[in-house]
Amino acid sequence: MPFPSFTKAAPSPFKITARRSGDRGHAHHGWLKSYHTFSFASYQDSRFESYGALRVINEDRVEPGEGFGQHSHRDFEIWSYIVSGELEHKDSLGNLEIMKRGEVQMTSTGSGISHSEYNRNPVTPVHFLQIWGLPTQNGLSPKYYSRKFSDEEKRDALVKVVAPVNSQGVNNNRNTSGPAPVHSPITMFASILTPSKTITHTFPKSTPKAYIHNIMVGGYRGPNVAAGDKFEDGGARLKLENGLVLEEGDGAFVEIAEGEGNEFKFENVGAKDAEFILFELE
């Protein structure tokens, strides 16, 4: 009697490591509540200094009438992704703008720029992601860009919101459509995934690593609150390619084996929308 034959499954091209929300750096200053994916300010951890050119992901909440006073930066690409509320940006280039949900503001600090970020709304806190990238070249001329992406665009799709300057589809104008230009080898996508929906992303061959962050859209929770107790509705739950489930505020490092057309699945296994961002990194 012949033995049955079995087809051996191909090894996964992805190595995925969770970065749990409660393990991130955390600061509570009253006017500001912030989580730090990477070392920042008083939170320092040599295991989490950067990932590729990605240097900072801070998930910030700023109270009404509060903000970051004028301060200076140089040789960093700094951008904000607005989740809710309003954020006023003002800088030494003469830019003054109030950003709202779905908007991305990019500051290429280059040789030096001063700016402030305030919540001028008297009632509503602002919730946003502050992201920093390491530039491909120092001493560039400072520039500012802003972009807007609707919830409808991001619904059950991954929309490219930031991409390297001069790459396909990137416009260098200050305020236009398409992804914001960044002088860094980072491409950022954003999505709002409906419960029970699955989407697939194909990584290009030139992408050896990625980072995923499931935004804490259900409201602020302290780092000592167990994941299952954070939200009465269970929170937004994002299932990744290997079965790992990201709760709100969780992230994941992804290492990608070399190969053309590596497909990666995202599934919303929760009862509410999952809003998340994806970084492709060199």
Side-chain angles (χ1 to χ4, degrees):
M1 179 177 180
F3 289 102
S5 61
F6 298 95
T7 302
K8 187 177 180 179
S12 172
F14 306 108
K15 178 183 178 183
I16 305 173
T17 305
R19 178 73 162 126
R20 295 300 182 189
S21 179
D23 295 333
R24 294 181 292 175
H26 179 255
H28 192 322
H29 301 294
W31 66 275
L32 167 68
K33 304 179 189 73
S34 183
Y35 277 99
H36 312 310
T37 297
F38 301 103
S39 294
F40 191 86
S42 61
Y43 169 67
Q44 297 295 315
D45 190 327
S46 59
R47 298 171 300 169
F48 303 106
E49 294 291 341
S50 61
Y51 193 55
L54 192 58
R55 177 61 187 84
V56 170
I57 306 175
N58 288 349
E59 187 161 3
D60 291 342
R61 285 177 165 82
V62 176
E63 292 297 307
E66 302 287 353
F68 303 91
Q70 183 170 309
H71 57 287
S72 299
H73 296 281
R74 64 177 298 147
D75 294 328
F76 273 112
E77 303 292 287
I78 300 176
W79 65 100
S80 298
Y81 177 91
I82 313 302
V83 181
S84 63
E86 302 175 353
L87 183 69
E88 178 200 83
H89 170 91
K90 183 177 182 181
D91 64 41
S92 54
L93 297 179
N95 296 297
L96 176 61
E97 193 165 15
I98 294 179
M99 313 297 293
K100 299 180 181 179
R101 173 166 173 77
E103 297 189 52
V104 174
Q105 59 103 334
M106 169 73 68
T107 303
S108 181
T109 67
S111 58
I113 191 172
S114 297
H115 73 120
S116 62
E117 310 290 331
Y118 266 94
N119 179 9
R120 300 296 186 188
N121 190 294
V123 177
T124 307
V126 61
H127 176 200
F128 66 103
L129 301 178
Q130 179 188 168
I131 302 159
W132 296 20
L134 300 170
T136 52
Q137 180 181 343
N138 290 339
L140 296 168
S141 297
K143 290 187 178 180
Y144 175 82
Y145 309 94
S146 61
R147 301 289 188 267
K148 184 173 184 178
F149 303 91
S150 68
D151 285 5
E152 290 74 20
E153 287 179 86
K154 293 179 283 187
R155 174 66 59 185
D156 300 328
L158 274 162
V159 176
K160 189 183 295 184
V161 298
V162 172
V165 65
N166 298 325
S167 59
Q168 186 176 1
V170 177
N171 190 313
N172 204 40
N173 291 337
R174 177 192 180 281
N175 192 347
T176 187
S177 59
V182 64
H183 294 85
S184 186
I186 297 173
T187 302
M188 173 178 159
F189 300 82
S191 179
I192 302 171
L193 193 56
T194 305
S196 300
K197 289 285 188 177
T198 298
I199 56 175
T200 301
H201 180 73
T202 302
F203 288 107
K205 187 176 181 179
S206 59
T207 302
K209 60 184 68 175
Y211 190 80
I212 302 156
H213 178 71
N214 189 17
I215 302 171
M216 193 181 280
V217 293
Y220 172 78
R221 296 293 187 275
N224 296 323
V225 180
D229 297 332
K230 285 180 181 177
F231 307 101
E232 292 181 1
D233 58 7
R237 304 178 74 245
L238 183 67
K239 183 180 178 181
L240 305 184
E241 174 72 23
N242 69 339
L244 178 69
V245 174
L246 301 184
E247 307 280 353
E248 293 190 25
D250 288 349
F253 298 95
V254 182
E255 298 174 57
I256 307 168
E258 184 176 351
E260 189 67 52
N262 286 324
E263 292 189 346
F264 193 99
K265 291 181 181 179
F266 300 88
E267 181 184 359
N268 186 342
V269 293
K272 61 186 290 187
D273 287 348
E275 184 168 2
F276 68 96
I277 55 174
L278 164 68
F279 299 91
E280 289 182 348
L281 305 163
E282 292 183 7

